[in-house]
Amino acid sequence: MTTPRIRRFEDIAPFDSSADIVICGYGGAGASAAYEALKLGADVVVLERSGGGGGATALSSCEMYLGGSGGTSLQKDCGFEDTTENFISYLTTSMGAAGDSERIRVYAEGAAEHFNWAESLGVPYKRAFFPNRDVVPYSDESLLHTGNERASPFKETSAPVPRGHVPSHEGDEGGRIFMDKLMAAVAELGARIECDSRATALVQDRHGRIRGVVARSNGVDRTIEARRGVILTCGGFIMNDEMTMKHLPSLRSIGRPYGNAWDLGDGILMGVAAGGQAINMGEAFMALAFYPPEKLTYGVFVNKRGQRFVNEDAYLARLAHYGAQQDNGEIYLFVQNEDFEPSFYYENLRVAAVGETVEEVEQEAGFPEGALVHTVNYYNQHAAEKRDPLFHKAPDWLKPITEPPFALVSYRYDEVKMPLGDDIGPLMFTLGGLEVQTSGEVLTPDGDVVPGLYAAGRTVAGLPRSGVGYASGMSVGDATFFGRLAGRAAAANGLN
């Protein structure tokens, strides 16, 4: 029997416990909300379904996509300027029609201060720029390009600036470093953290106001009054097969779920039950991390017809988006010998064909006669002039593919596999959730506020709403930035 997601306030007397604010989920969004609410003097209870905090943020590299205001202190110290207008222009182009202009503006105006806040927690950021094309630096630099800043069409609408801010470390432990510092600060401020405690329902009165939460611990339900508000920061829904097959059927069939094991959509479902609206549910991030090594970018991606479909210097999410539009995710990288090297993030990639000529590769691959030859000849003709009329790959990545032997490497979505796992397909997580104001207040389909209910992180349709324009750091940046705003708004809400 499914536990109801709404309990009526009038049926509860008395509550088992109470607090000013109850936060459901202790990842980056929840911890950031708790921090700000505690700083404003609120009594805060945090419910965490797992045995410890961290959420998806702790599993990430913790790149935050930040800029504006002339540049963050890290950007400035590395010699980069980034105006707020430039940042807004980039984000607007990235999200396209799906973007929320008000959310973009508020984020761009406050992102530089947000970096100062992160650094004030004791998170280390080295004043060093990583110039190479990579997903995350495995050296200790803290600033890098993590999106499409240097690629078309984005470089035509905004000046390219590196905006990926990652904790300084060697390896890929940025998320753990950040969350350890943030959770230590939250504990020091006096939050009551209750792990192994799942929020199963919201308590709502007859006027529609959210008054508390039903939490389950050790198989027992108890009620917690929230005098000022409830903040839902339960993550996305990528681990919920029923929801992903409903909202993302085509992507779910080729993508591999990535995130926290408890990204089951609990917060979204509770918010909708309380009168909120879920939007953007058909959008997801996918990753085609064919680089590093960066020199593979000199190759060209083709589909099963031997035709190009994207500029290869685009960010991995944009590559994955257009790859998913090819029949059955069947895509290949055509590369010459001097640029060939195994992809860092994928293991045992199949070489679909090799040859001393393009014709030999085409025939071995079973492509339509003349298709790959035409693609490569056209590409080489213009690459020799540092031009790419079809997809506008940056000149730095353009050179003729003329040095044999040639290889056609399969990046088919039903074949790619990352090390240390048996799952097949590009990594994927959701970008849809509750519609909220920038303050975190949950909105109904009519645009009204559900009083006493806030949300942040992947539980909401946040700043990143499109995989085609996604950049690494948008999710963590959005979750922590707007988590802080939700914590402040809830703390200032005098419900009683």
Side-chain angles (χ1 to χ4, degrees):
M1 178 178 177
T2 303
T3 303
R5 296 189 174 92
I6 295 295
R7 288 277 300 277
R8 292 301 164 195
F9 171 73
E10 290 77 14
D11 297 334
I12 297 174
F15 282 92
D16 296 312
S17 62
S18 66
D20 289 330
I21 297 169
V22 179
I23 298 174
C24 306
Y26 198 30
S32 299
Y35 179 92
E36 293 295 334
L38 289 161
K39 292 286 281 187
L40 292 175
D43 175 31
V44 176
V45 166
V46 181
L47 304 175
E48 169 55 42
R49 185 171 179 175
S50 73
T57 301
L59 300 174
S60 75
S61 302
C62 202
E63 292 163 322
M64 288 193 197
Y65 201 76
L66 305 171
S69 301
T72 66
S73 60
L74 175 56
Q75 287 174 318
K76 290 177 179 177
D77 289 346
C78 290
F80 296 98
E81 178 184 358
D82 190 18
T83 67
T84 300
E85 292 74 20
N86 189 53
F87 195 15
I88 289 174
S89 179
Y90 179 82
L91 293 174
T92 300
T93 301
S94 294
M95 294 302 108
D100 181 332
S101 60
E102 176 66 7
R103 196 174 187 87
I104 288 172
R105 182 189 63 79
V106 169
Y107 185 77
E109 290 176 349
E113 182 280 330
H114 190 60
F115 173 75
N116 294 338
W117 169 79
E119 197 164 39
S120 75
L121 298 172
V123 180
Y125 292 95
K126 183 178 180 179
R127 266 49 183 177
F129 169 58
F130 183 82
N132 300 333
R133 176 166 160 79
D134 209 331
V135 178
V136 61
Y138 276 73
S139 46
D140 62 356
E141 298 92 339
S142 286
L143 183 66
L144 71 159
H145 288 279
T146 61
N148 295 291
E149 302 89 2
R150 297 174 287 187
S152 183
F154 305 90
K155 64 183 180 181
E156 281 82 53
T157 63
S158 58
V161 179
R163 299 192 181 96
H165 294 60
V166 62
S168 180
H169 57 87
E170 291 190 4
D172 192 10
E173 303 293 332
R176 190 74 265 171
I177 292 169
F178 174 82
M179 286 305 301
D180 284 348
K181 294 292 187 182
L182 177 55
M183 291 190 297
V186 170
E188 186 176 347
L189 288 170
R192 289 181 278 159
I193 311 298
E194 300 184 8
C195 295
D196 297 310
S197 186
R198 176 190 179 189
T200 61
L202 297 170
V203 178
Q204 189 171 35
D205 68 21
R206 64 178 179 272
H207 303 294
R209 177 175 293 172
I210 301 303
R211 305 298 291 269
V213 171
V214 179
R216 173 164 292 182
S217 303
N218 298 318
V220 177
D221 287 342
R222 57 194 179 85
T223 56
I224 308 171
E225 181 183 20
R227 293 183 291 268
R228 302 190 196 180
V230 172
I231 307 177
L232 300 173
T233 54
C234 309
F237 63 94
I238 193 60
M239 298 302 180
N240 186 320
D241 287 339
E242 182 179 350
M243 289 182 71
T244 54
M245 289 307 296
K246 176 181 179 180
H247 297 289
L248 299 159
S250 60
L251 295 182
R252 180 64 182 86
S253 64
I254 57 177
R256 176 159 66 93
Y258 177 70
N260 182 5
W262 301 120
D263 284 343
L264 295 167
D266 286 352
I268 298 171
L269 295 173
M270 284 190 288
V272 169
Q277 176 175 221
I279 62 172
N280 211 51
M281 296 291 280
E283 289 287 338
F285 162 93
M286 294 183 71
L288 180 61
F290 85 98
Y291 62 89
E294 62 178 16
K295 66 180 182 178
L296 289 173
T297 309
Y298 289 115
V300 293
F301 269 109
V302 297
N303 57 25
K304 69 179 185 180
R305 297 177 181 85
Q307 300 168 326
R308 287 179 73 209
F309 54 88
V310 70
N311 46 315
E312 294 80 9
D313 61 336
Y315 173 65
L316 56 86
R318 188 172 181 84
L319 294 168
H321 172 85
Y322 285 109
Q325 294 181 356
Q326 310 311 305
D327 291 348
N328 301 316
E330 187 175 342
I331 59 176
Y332 304 88
L333 183 70
F334 181 77
V335 62
Q336 60 193 346
N337 187 60
E338 68 182 27
D339 299 321
F340 176 77
E341 192 173 324
S343 291
F344 180 83
Y345 286 105
Y346 295 129
E347 64 176 16
N348 301 322
L349 289 171
R350 179 174 64 89
V351 177
V354 294
E356 291 297 317
T357 66
V358 181
E359 289 88 348
E360 290 178 7
V361 174
E362 178 183 89
Q363 291 170 10
E364 185 176 341
F367 286 170
E369 183 178 356
L372 183 63
V373 171
H374 174 77
T375 293
V376 175
N377 285 344
Y378 183 87
Y379 179 84
N380 286 344
Q381 173 189 344
H382 295 95
E385 302 171 351
K386 294 295 183 180
R387 297 192 304 120
D388 178 16
L390 290 183
F391 297 102
H392 310 290
K393 185 195 289 190
D396 288 349
W397 297 113
L398 288 171
K399 67 178 181 180
I401 305 174
T402 56
E403 298 300 320
F406 306 107
L408 192 71
V409 183
S410 174
Y411 285 85
R412 287 178 53 138
Y413 285 12
D414 59 359
E415 293 183 351
V416 292
K417 182 175 72 171
M418 298 186 76
L420 304 178
D422 295 326
D423 291 335
I424 303 296
L427 299 180
M428 181 177 78
F429 58 77
T430 56
L431 297 176
L434 298 173
E435 185 175 18
V436 298
Q437 294 183 335
T438 56
S439 60
E441 293 170 283
V442 175
L443 297 175
T444 70
D446 293 329
D448 298 322
V449 167
V450 178
L453 186 61
Y454 305 79
R458 286 274 60 83
T459 298
V460 311
L463 181 73
R465 294 188 177 182
S466 169
V468 70
Y470 192 95
S472 279
M474 284 186 175
S475 284
V476 175
D478 170 82
T480 53
F481 181 90
F482 288 103
R484 292 176 66 200
L485 296 192
R488 292 178 197 165
N493 183 23
L495 287 180
N496 295 323

